[in-house]
Amino acid sequence: PLFWLALLLLLALPASAAAARALWKKTVSNPDRQRRSRARAAAQRQLREAIAARDAGQPHNFYNALERALYAAIAEALGAKPRGMTRHTLAEQLISAGFSGEGSHQLLALLARCDAARFAASGSSATEGELDQLLLQAEELLTQLWRVTR
């Protein structure tokens, strides 16, 4: 009986090793999946920072974190760093990657609003309700961006 059990284990070992290796290749060693995972985690972390800044009454930090979250998601969708792109090029790249034209327009408008609020001399006069609306819009756009893969 022990002989047959040992023989069965020896025969099952290569099959289980092959299965483990295939699973490792599919998950751990996939650089695209790792890049997407890191980008999504960064975007979600920035969204949490935006929420914390909103709750703390720091609109400048809110807009900074919101912009970083959007750029992290754009970088994931495009597979390239979007910060050096013009808005026109960015819109073209998003559309060619499968993002909708309307979504691109909304995304660029939100980025422009973040820029305007961040660089305004008097700071932002947005109410907490307006910041909540911007946050909801950003979350919706992020969800749409995460559907786009390249």
Side-chain angles (χ1 to χ4, degrees):
L2 288 177
F3 170 76
W4 294 112
L5 181 62
L7 183 61
L8 182 64
L9 286 175
L10 284 174
L11 292 175
L13 186 63
S16 62
R21 183 175 179 169
L23 181 63
W24 180 81
K25 280 185 175 181
K26 184 177 179 183
T27 57
V28 177
S29 70
N30 187 336
D32 287 337
R33 182 176 286 199
Q34 288 178 343
R35 179 186 51 81
R36 286 193 304 268
S37 177
R38 282 191 305 267
R40 286 183 186 190
Q44 290 169 341
R45 185 174 49 253
Q46 294 304 323
L47 277 180
R48 287 191 299 272
E49 285 185 24
I51 292 168
R54 180 207 56 199
D55 294 344
Q58 300 170 335
H60 185 267
N61 292 342
F62 170 83
Y63 287 109
N64 279 336
L66 192 61
E67 183 187 51
R68 287 191 307 266
L70 293 171
Y71 273 124
I74 292 168
E76 176 205 348
L78 297 181
K81 294 188 179 194
R83 289 234 183 231
M85 296 181 192
T86 64
R87 300 291 166 127
H88 179 72
T89 304
L90 185 56
E92 287 177 348
Q93 292 288 319
L94 285 168
I95 291 170
S96 70
F99 197 56
S100 71
E102 178 63 28
S104 296
H105 176 72
Q106 290 176 357
L107 182 60
L108 294 178
L110 186 54
L111 286 171
R113 179 148 184 197
C114 287
D115 278 346
R118 286 175 40 238
F119 296 115
S122 63
S124 173
S125 60
T127 65
E128 189 171 330
E130 291 171 333
L131 296 180
D132 287 340
Q133 266 314 103
L134 291 174
L135 193 58
L136 287 174
Q137 182 184 8
E139 288 173 342
E140 181 181 316
L141 289 168
L142 288 173
T143 301
Q144 292 174 24
L145 274 171
W146 286 333
R147 290 186 196 129
V148 176
T149 57
R150 193 171 220 191

